[in-house]
Amino acid sequence: MNEAIVEVFDKGFGTLDYEDSNTRIYEYSRNVNFPTDSLSERLYDYGEYKTKTIPTAYLKSYGGNEFVILRIMDAIRNYNTFSYSYVDHLDTDFVKSHDFSIEDDTSLDGMPLFVIDIYKHNRKFMVRGKIYISKDNFEIVKLEYATYDALLGTRKISKTSRKIEDRLLYRTAVEYKKEDNKMFPSYISFSNKFEVKVPPVFTVKNVFVDFEKKLFEIAFNRVPLHFKVLKDKNYNISYKGRGIEIEKVVLADSVTVHLYPKMNLGDQALEIFLAEPVDIGKDDFRVVMDNIIDMDGNKLDFSETYSLMQFREFFVQQRKPVLQYPGKHLYMDKNWPIFQDQPIVKPDNYSDFWMNTPLRNEGAIIK
């Protein structure tokens, strides 16, 4: 759990928030009473390995800066740029991508409000939300938006499902308040489910082509189960798309095996080992291993995936006009984690502010 007091220099709706707004950090505190999971602190990764992702949705990592991610979740402020799936661009995508229905009016701080229900449903996900609009001048006062897994396993979800919260993917809420006849952000929250892929316990350290002994050497990081690792059918080796038949597998030591290929006339291995090593392209080899486990039962290259929930919130304690912008060296680096090697400077009126310590259970395991 991380907490901070920050000052945001926002030039308004006529500018792009991410590009033109800046932030100064007054104080940062890490609550050591909360457990820390180093894997879940990594950046969101939608690349080849997908080590950290939000199921069925995309979230840019912004260098791991959680505050920048939270600011982007204000789809009202960022109405003309991508905020989050499936609001996307509020000004061009929101209306055409959802179904809306009017609900009973309500009020906030004496202000009468329209309440509009937001709904979207397809075979992968479902959206539920509400948007609150001033009846006097149509200002957007509040936006609530949540996305759920619509098809978890084989049980479909309905609009009135009582167990809808069990399928939550992410939820965001943003609220604005009027001051001096202008609307200012008052509160932003964003919670999301994410999946973390744990690095495999049992892996291959090295694959080596021994031209002198005419064999393939495979070294593991842990002791493999012998009767599994010695089966030739558990290996599939090819060169330039042509398969190489394995004649026998021998244990060289406790973590290393030697694979001897068939070297008969017409075999692909004969062409490889009769050639000069410099003429053989390493990238042309493909090695696939299956059904191999270590002595503790860990499957080779198996990556376990587990799910967690994350919650962020930002609320405004004070709004004020900008009399003077601080030097650029005092601004937070937007593409770097907010809680890592950032400039921290307390103002003279620091005692006017207080550190909030929320504890909201969004499905996370907290002891």
Side-chain angles (χ1 to χ4, degrees):
M1 179 178 176
N2 298 295
E3 303 166 274
I5 297 177
V6 301
E7 181 176 12
V8 180
F9 297 88
D10 188 339
K11 297 179 181 180
F13 284 91
T15 63
L16 296 175
D17 187 30
Y18 177 72
E19 288 81 358
D20 300 320
S21 297
N22 285 293
T23 301
R24 190 168 79 171
I25 303 174
Y26 286 175
E27 183 185 0
Y28 153 66
S29 174
R30 190 179 186 95
N31 192 323
V32 295
N33 294 320
F34 280 70
T36 300
D37 183 343
S38 59
L39 292 178
S40 66
E41 285 189 316
R42 294 181 300 189
L43 303 184
Y44 283 94
D45 171 26
Y46 289 85
E48 179 182 355
Y49 299 104
K50 293 179 172 58
T51 55
K52 182 179 177 182
T53 59
I54 297 179
T56 73
Y58 175 78
L59 180 63
K60 188 176 178 180
S61 66
Y62 292 98
N65 193 308
E66 294 291 348
F67 182 64
V68 170
I69 291 175
L70 180 56
R71 288 276 297 182
I72 294 296
M73 294 303 123
D74 183 351
I76 301 172
R77 172 64 181 88
N78 297 288
Y79 68 95
N80 57 354
T81 186
F82 179 85
S83 51
Y84 49 85
S85 307
Y86 300 92
V87 169
D88 300 333
H89 290 66
L90 188 73
D91 58 348
T92 58
D93 303 317
F94 183 56
V95 171
K96 66 183 181 183
S97 301
H98 298 81
D99 297 323
F100 302 90
S101 59
I102 193 76
E103 295 194 347
D104 294 337
D105 296 345
T106 188
S107 63
L108 179 66
D109 297 331
M111 179 191 302
L113 301 173
F114 291 114
V115 181
I116 300 175
D117 181 77
I118 306 166
Y119 180 64
K120 179 182 177 72
H121 196 180
N122 63 21
R123 67 181 184 88
K124 290 185 177 181
F125 64 90
M126 185 176 78
V127 167
R128 297 303 312 274
K130 295 183 188 299
I131 186 167
Y132 300 81
I133 299 177
S134 168
K135 297 185 71 172
D136 295 332
N137 50 26
F138 307 113
E139 294 163 338
I140 299 176
V141 176
K142 188 174 183 179
L143 172 63
E144 300 171 340
Y145 193 91
T147 302
Y148 304 88
D149 188 346
L151 188 58
L152 188 63
T154 57
R155 295 179 57 192
K156 294 184 179 180
I157 190 171
S158 67
K159 187 175 182 179
T160 58
S161 174
R162 293 183 178 181
K163 291 192 174 183
I164 189 172
E165 291 305 310
D166 295 340
R167 299 165 178 251
L168 179 69
L169 296 176
Y170 61 88
R171 174 188 286 113
T172 182
V174 57
E175 183 177 316
Y176 276 69
K177 288 187 178 181
K178 180 172 286 189
E179 187 172 307
D180 297 329
N181 208 34
K182 291 183 179 180
M183 299 296 286
F184 290 89
S186 175
Y187 176 79
I188 309 170
S189 72
F190 175 55
S191 58
N192 66 279
K193 178 181 181 180
F194 64 97
E195 293 183 346
V196 175
K197 185 179 291 186
V198 182
V201 175
F202 181 38
T203 62
V204 171
K205 290 176 61 178
N206 186 42
V207 177
F208 175 67
V209 182
D210 192 326
F211 286 92
E212 183 178 343
K213 296 180 179 179
K214 296 181 175 55
L215 58 83
F216 299 98
E217 180 179 283
I218 299 176
F220 301 93
N221 69 329
R222 295 167 64 94
V223 178
L225 194 62
H226 290 177
F227 83 91
K228 292 282 189 181
V229 80
L230 291 175
K231 288 185 177 181
D232 57 68
K233 67 178 182 180
N234 290 339
Y235 302 89
N236 187 325
I237 302 178
S238 62
Y239 181 73
K240 292 185 177 180
R242 287 184 59 190
I244 299 173
E245 290 191 61
I246 303 300
E247 189 169 51
K248 65 177 179 178
V249 183
V250 177
L251 274 174
D253 56 44
S254 63
V255 295
T256 308
V257 293
H258 285 167
L259 278 63
Y260 292 86
K262 290 184 178 180
M263 299 283 287
N264 300 322
L265 186 65
D267 286 333
Q268 176 73 330
L270 192 65
E271 177 184 339
I272 295 170
F273 289 108
L274 289 181
E276 292 295 327
V278 293
D279 297 330
I280 301 299
K282 294 181 180 180
D283 294 337
D284 291 326
F285 280 99
R286 184 172 182 266
V287 181
V288 178
M289 288 164 276
D290 190 28
N291 201 30
I292 297 175
I293 61 176
D294 67 10
M295 299 295 286
D296 296 322
N298 298 300
K299 188 176 179 180
L300 183 66
D301 289 331
F302 173 73
S303 297
E304 183 182 0
T305 300
Y306 62 91
S307 298
L308 294 172
M309 293 294 296
Q310 182 172 16
F311 178 70
R312 315 164 184 84
E313 74 169 355
F314 165 65
F315 66 94
V316 177
Q317 296 185 35
Q318 183 184 101
R319 285 175 290 271
K320 61 181 181 180
V322 178
L323 300 178
Q324 183 178 359
Y325 287 96
K328 291 184 178 180
H329 66 284
L330 296 178
Y331 287 142
M332 174 191 73
D333 186 340
K334 302 174 188 177
N335 292 299
W336 191 253
I338 182 175
F339 304 120
Q340 185 177 336
D341 300 325
Q342 296 277 11
I344 298 177
V345 180
K346 293 184 179 181
D348 294 336
N349 67 331
Y350 177 75
S351 60
D352 293 345
F353 306 98
W354 56 280
M355 187 81 80
N356 182 40
T357 308
L359 179 58
R360 178 173 177 175
N361 186 356
E362 289 286 343
I365 300 174
I366 299 173
K367 297 182 180 178

